[in-house]
Amino acid sequence: MRSTPVVSSLPALVFAAWVGTMAMTAFVAVIGPVVRLLGLSEWHAGLSVTAAGVLWMLSARRWGALSDRIGRRRVLLTALAAYAVIYVLMAVFVDTALRSAPAVWVSVLVLVGTRALVGLFYAAVPPTAAALVADEAAPGQRAGAMAKLGSANALGMVIGPAAAGWVAFHNLALTLYVAALLPVLALLVIAWRLPKAVPAAAAGKGPQAPLGRFDPRLRLPMMAVFAAMISVTIAQVTVGFFAIDRLQLAPAAGARMAGLALTAVGVGLILAQMLVMTFKRMPPRHWIALGALIAAVGFGSVALVTLPWQLLATYAVAAFGMGFVFPSFQALAADSVEAHEQGAAAGAVAGVQGLGMVIGPMVGTLLYRIAPSVPYLLVGAVLSALAVAAMLHGRRAP
């Protein structure tokens, strides 16, 4: 007999997370060639990615709180529609600019502006989807559902850049047009499969105080997401340099090795999240402690790497540990608050995630200038501290 799914809207949410992440990472895969062809500098590409992270950080909590007031479905439809329109405008501009390059300041303004707006509107999707899972799933069952969303994101991170690179080899502008179709597909699926529901705040009784920005109930989930995003973004931004400098590879071979390492990350994340989906009774704080400890060993071991296969192995181990952490801090946040606070809690966690996305690359590149191993030793120390904090939290929890 086929059992009834815990979250009826989960397939639609998983699809939206998958294609949304593919569209986000497809841009990262082609921004380098676009910048070169338009005569821009490398820091312009970095500025566009950073701008998206900043707006994500500033808006995620507000999106989550808005979904508590007006409903998850309305927020998802609004955000995905705006996401799709802006992506199409960006694709049209790039296509036109590649045929006749405009002034440099125009290209910078449009690329940074459109990418920032993409970050602004896509920031609504992860916290609203997490809040919707928390609405339907009972405490203790949320980690498995969150892991399915996490696996969709990881799969999008693997497939997005690979597909974008293949399409870009034939037509660079076509890559962005194809990527722009993905949020349209997500919008259609959400509109078709997501039922209308009463907003969580409206369903409550009496006046309800808003969730505090530094609510102590969210202390461990916010520590976990910040440590996780700092670690992941440092590892992402330094792996290409590490492959060239430590492994003595040519730039092209270093880029290929970086791509293989990030593919290993995607595989490790998916395998770990499958385990989280299987062992549903394990408390989220235990997954955080175990995952942080495994990831600390993996990332810390990168400092000892001297051969290419060792780099792939350490990144895979680290990603396996992070696969336990990512869905678990979302589930822990959901289990820690009331029904009318789910959107705000998911948004607060997503906002800290955006902060980590902004700070991590800067910290990683600055520390890398000291020595290639220093960023990885820092990541190992941060994740070890998170593991200890999660274990202590488990002892204090009722």
Side-chain angles (χ1 to χ4, degrees), residues 39-345:
L40 308 182
S41 300
E42 289 80 1
W43 71 270
H44 293 140
L47 180 61
S48 67
V49 176
T50 300
V54 170
L55 287 189
W56 180 308
M57 173 186 66
L58 296 176
S59 62
R61 188 176 187 277
R62 291 179 171 86
W63 281 118
L66 181 64
S67 75
D68 285 335
R69 296 196 303 272
I70 69 172
R72 318 293 187 208
R73 189 175 187 272
R74 285 181 62 185
V75 167
L76 285 173
L77 292 178
T78 301
L80 286 171
Y83 178 23
V85 169
I86 293 164
Y87 218 125
V88 169
L89 293 176
M90 180 171 62
V92 170
F93 172 79
V94 171
D95 190 13
T96 305
L98 290 176
R99 298 176 187 178
S100 177
V104 169
W105 69 268
V106 173
S107 297
V108 172
L109 183 63
V110 174
L111 286 178
V112 173
T114 52
R115 179 63 178 181
L117 290 175
V118 163
L120 170 66
F121 287 104
Y122 191 68
V125 177
T128 306
L132 189 51
V133 168
D135 290 341
E136 297 192 38
Q141 298 178 318
R142 290 165 176 161
M146 299 290 187
K148 291 182 180 180
L149 289 177
S151 296
N153 287 322
L155 193 61
M157 289 172 60
V158 174
I159 296 177
W166 184 83
V167 177
F169 181 78
H170 301 279
N171 189 315
L172 192 58
L174 180 61
T175 306
L176 294 177
Y177 282 119
V178 173
L181 289 177
L182 297 176
V184 175
L185 292 176
L187 175 66
L188 294 175
V189 169
I190 291 294
W192 173 43
R193 298 295 298 172
L194 213 64
K196 295 181 180 180
V198 177
K205 297 180 180 180
Q208 298 158 339
L211 184 73
R213 188 171 296 274
F214 301 103
D215 193 300
R217 294 173 296 173
L218 298 179
R219 192 170 296 153
L220 179 59
M222 294 176 77
M223 287 173 55
V225 67
F226 185 70
M229 287 312 302
I230 284 281
S231 302
V232 168
T233 52
I234 286 176
Q236 286 176 334
V237 77
T238 57
V239 63
F241 301 116
F242 188 92
I244 294 171
D245 298 334
R246 177 65 67 85
L247 303 181
Q248 299 296 306
L249 299 178
R256 180 174 178 271
M257 180 55 59
L260 290 174
L262 295 179
T263 300
V265 166
V267 173
L269 286 173
I270 292 171
L271 290 176
Q273 288 165 354
M274 288 174 63
L275 288 177
V276 177
M277 287 183 265
T278 302
F279 299 98
K280 300 177 181 178
R281 295 186 179 274
M282 186 166 173
R285 60 181 180 271
H286 292 172
W287 282 121
I288 292 173
L290 177 61
L293 188 59
I294 294 173
V297 172
F299 281 129
S301 299
V302 177
L304 306 175
V305 164
T306 57
L307 298 173
W309 71 266
Q310 295 172 345
L311 181 63
L312 298 180
T314 53
Y315 263 67
V317 170
F320 185 72
M322 298 308 296
F324 294 155
V325 175
F326 274 99
S328 301
F329 62 66
Q330 294 174 317
L332 183 59
D335 289 347
S336 301
V337 299
E338 303 297 328
H340 68 278
E341 300 171 312
Q342 291 296 338

Side-chain angles (χ1 to χ4, degrees), residues 25-43:
T25 55
F27 174 85
V28 177
V30 301
I31 185 61
V34 168
V35 161
R36 293 290 188 188
L37 291 172
L38 295 182
L40 308 182
S41 300
E42 289 80 1
W43 71 270

